Amino acid sequence: MSVTSSLTDDDYHRLLDFRDGLRRFQRWSEEQAHTAGLTPAQHQLLLAIRGHGDAPSIREVADHLLLRHHSVVELVDRAAHRGLVQRFADEADQRITRLQLTPEGARRVELLAAAHLEELSRLRPWFGSLWSDLPPSISA
C-alpha cells in the first residue's frame, strides 16, 4: 500500500463517518438479534440461508458468512438444535448437505429483516451523503 498526499481532511472524515456508521448499524443489528432470541451469528446464518434463494449448501453459506466450512457446520448444529434450520442431502450429490429454515427460523429472520430494512431506510439520507462528491476512483 502506498501513501498518497492527495487525500484531504474531508476524505479522512468521510472514511471515519462511514466506518462509524457501519459499526453503529452492526451494533444495532446485534442488539436486534439478541432481542429476537438469537445470537448475531445465528441471525447471519438465517439471513444467508433465506437470502440465498434455493436451499444453499454449507459451502455456499460459508462463503456468504466468510467463515470456514467446519465453523458453519458448528453454527448449523447449534441452530438445528434450537429448531431454526434443517439439513437435507442434495438430490444430485448425496455428499452435499443443503440447508433450509424451519418455520420458526423463517419467522425470526422475517421479523429481523423487516426491522433492518426499516433501519436502512432511516439511515439512507446519512449514507447517501457519504457517496456524494466521491470521485469515481482515487489513484495512488
Side-chain angles (χ1 to χ4, degrees):
M1 177 177 3
S2 64
V3 178
T4 178
S5 62
S6 65
L7 295 176
T8 67
D9 288 344
D10 285 343
D11 292 328
Y12 288 103
H13 182 74
R14 182 190 312 256
L15 290 170
L16 177 61
D17 280 350
F18 181 68
R19 299 282 306 212
D20 284 350
L22 288 176
R23 284 295 303 136
R24 287 177 195 282
F25 181 78
Q26 183 175 359
R27 174 74 48 90
W28 175 88
S29 177
E30 290 167 355
E31 290 169 0
Q32 295 301 304
H34 288 298
T35 299
L38 300 172
T39 66
Q42 288 169 337
H43 172 220
Q44 289 298 312
L45 172 66
L46 299 181
L47 184 59
I49 294 169
R50 178 62 179 90
H52 186 77
D54 292 338
S57 68
I58 289 181
R59 168 60 48 215
E60 289 167 329
V61 170
D63 290 345
H64 286 299
L65 300 180
L66 303 176
L67 293 173
R68 294 178 189 220
H69 185 274
H70 69 275
S71 297
V72 172
V73 169
E74 292 171 8
L75 183 58
V76 168
D77 286 344
R78 291 188 299 273
H81 181 73
R82 294 198 53 210
L84 302 170
V85 301
Q86 297 173 331
R87 296 178 171 92
F88 63 95
D90 184 273
E91 291 180 13
D93 186 344
Q94 297 292 306
R95 297 170 298 173
I96 297 174
T97 299
R98 300 238 168 242
L99 302 170
Q100 66 185 21
L101 299 178
T102 63
E104 178 61 16
R107 184 186 70 78
R108 290 196 194 196
V109 75
E110 183 175 349
L111 289 172
L112 285 167
H116 280 71
L117 288 172
E118 184 177 316
E119 180 69 1
L120 285 173
S121 291
R122 190 184 70 74
L123 294 173
R124 177 185 296 190
W126 183 83
F127 273 109
S129 69
L130 291 174
W131 308 131
S132 65
D133 301 326
L134 192 63
S137 67
I138 299 176
S139 302

